[in-house]
Amino acid sequence: RAGGRQPVMNIVVCVKQVPDTWAERTLRPDDSRLDRASVDGVINELDEYAIEEGLRLAEAHGGEVTILSMGPDKASESIRKALSMGADKAVHLIDDGLAGSDALATSLAIAQVLGRTGFDLVILGSESTDARMGVLAAMLAERLGVPQLSQASKVEVDGTAIRINRQAEYGYDTVEAVLPAVVSVVEKINEPRYPSFKGIMAAKKKPVETLSLADAGIDPGQVGLGSAATEVVSFAKRPPRQAGTVVKDEGDGGVKAAEFLAAQKFI
């Protein structure tokens, strides 16, 4: 570039609005989908770590952070919060035809938008707190034909090289790749910042591009509940907890407790 300026890193953070994790969540009896309308929507908590990591990388290396979210109109609340944390702009994929999309359709739609916006690095949380599937990062990387670096507890970028510590039961593995890439991060990676008053006010003026299926060039026949490759066949409410077994200690409490544990095959 002119003047020897380094290109600005294009970071896209995928954000999902989910039902408040503290509220009681139910499935809709007519189509077995999660009832989102009756519960307050919030940013998926695990996505806040992805937002924070995107902001830190942009601050360290010179970059621009775009929030990408797929969801109904109310998802705009979560998009604005992400912008108030410091992201530069957002893209909101919104269309009634997307309702009921499973992970396969969601990855197809988001990959299509990413192809339109371009990216150097796509960052996601490890999973969403509603579906808890944790598969979107892998699906996106496959559809986009780029490396996937998952479960990152640390991310380092040096030019076009990216290195992460991938969390494992025994510590971590070091995984390296070349940008562009898709990264999913774990909650131990950082401490997400709180939106400041200045950030909240600034977010009101930041650009949010809304896209329909037609705008993004997505075939309506490949998304939505009707084309989902997975379905909920049946569901039932969890039964109430039964009263536990009380062991009365009459000098032989230890023996009785051991017998109970043995009967339950715990020992």
Side-chain angles (χ1 to χ4, degrees):
R1 295 195 175 189
R5 290 178 58 191
Q6 292 294 315
V8 173
M9 186 158 63
N10 183 5
I11 301 169
V12 181
V13 181
C14 294
V15 171
K16 184 179 185 182
Q17 185 178 69
V18 298
D20 190 338
T21 50
W22 296 104
E24 183 175 352
R25 287 164 288 179
T26 58
L27 297 181
R28 299 172 6 156
D30 55 338
D31 58 11
S32 302
R33 287 167 50 205
L34 183 63
D35 183 1
R36 300 176 186 276
S38 62
V39 183
D40 287 338
V42 296
I43 287 183
N44 176 45
E45 181 186 353
L46 300 173
D47 291 347
E48 293 192 17
Y49 299 93
I51 298 167
E52 177 64 29
E53 197 61 24
L55 295 173
R56 293 188 184 195
L57 289 170
E59 289 162 359
H61 302 284
E64 194 170 60
V65 177
T66 301
I67 301 300
L68 171 54
S69 189
M70 172 180 137
D73 185 61
K74 67 183 291 188
S76 59
E77 303 160 5
S78 293
I79 291 172
R80 284 296 173 191
K81 181 182 178 184
L83 291 173
S84 70
M85 289 174 68
D88 299 285
K89 57 184 180 178
V91 177
H92 185 182
L93 180 60
I94 173 172
D95 197 295
D96 289 344
L98 289 162
S101 293
D102 62 3
L104 283 165
T106 297
S107 67
L108 182 147
I110 292 178
Q112 185 75 13
V113 176
L114 286 167
R116 185 178 184 276
T117 61
F119 63 93
D120 295 311
L121 183 62
V122 180
I123 309 178
L124 301 91
S126 56
E127 62 182 3
S128 62
T129 56
D130 53 359
R132 306 207 82 100
M133 293 189 69
V135 298
L136 194 60
M139 289 182 172
L140 281 179
E142 179 68 18
R143 291 191 183 278
L144 296 166
V146 300
Q148 178 212 179
L149 301 94
S150 60
Q151 302 291 312
S153 58
K154 183 179 181 181
V155 179
E156 296 176 322
V157 174
D158 183 5
T160 59
I162 181 168
R163 180 187 300 109
I164 72 160
N165 289 354
R166 186 181 192 277
Q167 184 174 274
E169 292 180 3
Y170 45 80
Y172 65 86
D173 294 317
T174 300
V175 183
E176 299 179 352
V178 175
L179 298 177
V182 174
V183 173
S184 64
V185 301
V186 297
E187 57 188 300
K188 293 180 180 179
I189 194 168
N190 57 44
E191 186 66 38
R193 67 194 69 184
Y194 289 101
S196 64
F197 178 73
K198 182 179 178 182
I200 293 169
M201 298 306 292
K204 296 179 179 180
K205 298 180 181 178
K206 290 178 178 178
V208 178
E209 181 183 13
T210 57
L211 298 175
S212 65
L213 288 173
D215 294 332
I218 299 168
D219 179 359
Q222 293 187 289
V223 296
L225 185 63
S227 65
T230 55
E231 67 173 327
V232 177
V233 177
S234 65
F235 66 90
K237 282 192 173 183
R238 180 170 50 193
R241 292 182 64 177
Q242 296 178 341
T245 300
V246 178
V247 175
K248 203 168 185 179
D249 187 4
E250 297 173 338
D252 58 351
V255 174
K256 287 180 179 178
E259 288 174 347
F260 172 79
L261 292 172
Q264 300 296 321
K265 297 185 178 179
F266 289 124
I267 58 173

